[in-house]
Amino acid sequence: MKKINSIIACSASLLLTATCTGCGDTGMESYAPVSPQPQTEASTKAPVPATTAKPVPTATIAETTAAPTEPEITDIYADVVSDYCNECAGMSYPYSYAMADLDLDGYPELMVKTGTCEAEYMYVVWTKGANDTAIKAGECSGFHTSLYYNCQNGLLYTNSCQMDGERLEECSLHNQQIQFTNSYSWNLRDSAYYQEHGYYDPTLMENVYALSERDITDYVFAVSDMIDGTPGETMTIEEYIQKTSENQQTEAAATVSEDTLRSNILAQCSGNQLDWFYDDFDGDGTYEAFAIDGNSSDFGNEIQGIYYADASGNVTLIGTTFWGGFGSGRVVDYSSSKKFFVLNTHNGGSGSTDYLYSVKEGNYYESNLSGSLYGFQVDENGAYTFEPGSDAHERPQIRLYYDESTEDFYQ
């Protein structure tokens, strides 16, 4: 009985299942709405198949002619889809899309997954604007991501799973704009519960279903199939995180404290200033630290040495000499389970260079691009740097490719 009532509510709200013209046709075509099926005692007791689409009622155009007084529904996304088809023509894999009614106004939103690789994948959300035109409502990350939908309140979920880490973001559509209402991320490495049960399945939440995606080249003006992967089961995100973190908490308690790491590094420092960067860089539930040993000067922190301390308190001197005698550091999140320490060095002028470090299996490592990066950044499309030159001038971006097997970036 887990989601039977929600299925009926979803089915009653989905009015669009007619097929529209293909991607090559940019003309508008109207479709009569589909009347929702009446709720009966028999329908409320039907079991939910584990891997089949929700029983959304379908109808042909001929079947809808019995209700001529209802307004016609026009596909406003035809031109948008045609542009996307042209954009991805010739690619090995075309863009994909899904459709669902996010604002519960009876007209579905269009979510198009664009990009050529995981680092670039992005869901672009389109909705109905003024004068019944298609407008862009916002974007959601598509990095190792699938879409899920709550048919009771219209919430959209993006679920990203990668490298023993998972991230789930909750989105809503208000005033024709996508808004992020909740965000969850957790580490799964060395979790016995995760190893036995796998990643968290958002369909464990009440009224939440996976949205089936299609290639944009096979576009049909219809709400997407909704699939329940966990019929009869429920578990909140918080309950899952608690189960996966129980053994990790025991492991983390066995590591040394942040104060101990700081003291161990300070014992080897010669400068009068320590810049401290303490975080879980490899997403294994334990914390490491990078530190800049330096002296204060008119040009900033004069570097005396760069240090790394692992979760057990062991300290390693990374180096004392870099391009640029002065520097500062920052931590950059690449994904929910991967972070990088960025050392930016300069000589007091407008030019600077970035050195890039992270942690793998408890040990620090330096990126092969370290020392040749200029303003290393990460956005929703992945990582990038800039062409060399003065920070006082605008310079073109250079997108970077991330290799999961080496956990490093390449141009």
Side-chain angles (χ1 to χ4, degrees):
M1 295 296 295
K2 178 195 169 198
K3 299 182 180 177
I4 304 305
N5 292 333
S6 67
I7 294 172
I8 296 172
C10 289
S11 299
S13 67
L14 302 177
L15 304 181
L16 304 173
T17 54
T19 303
C20 77
T21 54
C23 294
D25 185 355
T26 59
M28 294 293 187
E29 187 171 345
S30 299
Y31 299 86
V34 179
S35 301
Q37 297 295 317
Q39 178 174 327
T40 65
E41 180 65 23
S43 67
T44 62
K45 297 181 180 297
V48 181
T51 59
T52 59
K54 290 294 176 294
V56 180
T58 60
T60 65
I61 294 178
E63 290 173 331
T64 64
T65 57
T69 58
E70 295 183 1
E72 293 185 343
I73 299 179
T74 303
D75 179 8
I76 64 172
Y77 303 121
D79 289 341
V80 173
V81 170
S82 180
D83 288 341
Y84 279 128
C85 287
N86 292 333
E87 187 176 315
C88 67
M91 293 182 181
S92 300
Y93 300 98
Y95 297 161
S96 61
Y97 80 97
M99 297 184 75
D101 187 1
L102 304 186
D103 55 6
L104 304 180
D105 65 349
Y107 199 94
E109 276 61 49
L110 171 69
M111 287 76 74
V112 181
K113 189 175 185 177
T114 65
T116 60
C117 64
E118 287 294 343
E120 295 181 355
Y121 286 154
M122 181 67 58
Y123 285 103
V124 183
V125 182
W126 294 83
T127 187
K128 183 170 65 174
N131 302 319
D132 291 340
T133 58
I135 62 172
K136 188 181 295 185
E139 297 179 341
C140 303
S141 173
F143 181 75
H144 292 281
T145 297
S146 299
L147 292 178
Y148 295 81
Y149 173 67
N150 187 318
C151 67
Q152 290 291 310
N153 54 28
L155 291 176
L156 180 71
Y157 292 91
T158 60
N159 187 41
S160 173
C161 304
Q162 186 218 12
M163 294 174 60
D164 296 329
E166 188 167 3
R167 182 180 184 87
L168 189 143
E169 292 190 318
E170 179 186 273
C171 314
S172 62
L173 183 64
H174 289 294
N175 298 322
Q176 301 172 346
Q177 293 292 317
I178 284 292
Q179 299 178 3
F180 291 89
T181 51
N182 278 301
S183 180
Y184 306 85
S185 61
W186 55 95
N187 300 310
L188 299 168
R189 184 174 296 180
D190 300 323
S191 167
Y193 187 87
Y194 159 65
Q195 292 171 0
E196 181 178 353
H197 298 87
Y199 291 113
Y200 178 73
D201 184 349
T203 65
L204 287 168
M205 292 185 286
E206 289 288 350
N207 308 316
V208 174
Y209 302 87
L211 289 178
S212 178
E213 296 185 36
R214 296 167 57 102
D215 288 349
I216 196 73
T217 52
D218 297 327
Y219 173 70
V220 174
F221 182 50
V223 293
S224 298
D225 289 340
M226 296 188 297
I227 302 171
D228 183 12
T230 58
E233 300 180 48
T234 59
M235 179 187 292
T236 65
I237 301 172
E238 291 78 10
E239 289 171 340
Y240 179 85
I241 295 175
Q242 176 62 33
K243 288 179 179 295
T244 57
S245 63
E246 286 174 353
N247 66 314
Q248 291 179 349
Q249 292 171 353
T250 301
E251 178 183 350
T255 64
V256 300
S257 67
E258 180 179 2
D259 288 341
T260 299
L261 294 185
R262 188 192 298 269
S263 297
N264 291 354
I265 290 181
L266 282 172
Q268 301 189 33
C269 290
S270 59
N272 57 27
Q273 178 175 314
L274 183 70
D275 289 345
W276 184 250
F277 305 92
Y278 177 75
D279 216 317
D280 182 7
F281 288 89
D282 57 353
D284 66 352
T286 62
Y287 280 64
E288 308 86 10
F290 290 90
I292 304 175
D293 171 28
N295 290 316
S296 300
S297 73
D298 293 338
F299 297 103
N301 193 355
E302 183 181 5
I303 299 173
Q304 303 299 306
I306 306 298
Y307 291 88
Y308 167 73
D310 66 20
S312 300
N314 302 307
V315 177
T316 302
L317 173 63
I318 295 176
T320 58
T321 303
F322 303 85
W323 183 94
F326 307 91
S328 61
R330 67 184 190 277
V331 176
V332 174
D333 291 7
Y334 179 68
S335 68
S336 59
S337 58
K338 192 66 177 180
K339 300 179 181 180
F340 288 86
F341 169 64
V342 182
L343 171 66
N344 176 262
T345 68
H346 62 90
N347 286 308
S350 59
S352 65
T353 296
D354 284 348
Y355 292 81
L356 193 63
Y357 306 91
S358 191
V359 178
K360 180 165 52 178
E361 298 178 354
N363 299 313
Y364 92 91
Y365 66 96
E366 184 173 6
S367 169
N368 76 98
L369 297 179
S370 188
S372 63
L373 299 169
Y374 307 93
F376 176 80
Q377 300 288 340
V378 171
D379 62 15
E380 63 274 9
N381 295 318
Y384 63 93
T385 184
F386 295 92
E387 289 188 357
S390 171
D391 291 343
H393 302 289
E394 185 174 346
R395 293 166 290 156
Q397 289 186 9
I398 301 174
R399 303 304 303 195
L400 302 176
Y401 165 73
Y402 182 73
D403 187 340
E404 295 179 10
S405 64
T406 62
E407 300 182 28
D408 201 0
F409 295 99
Y410 301 86
Q411 290 189 13

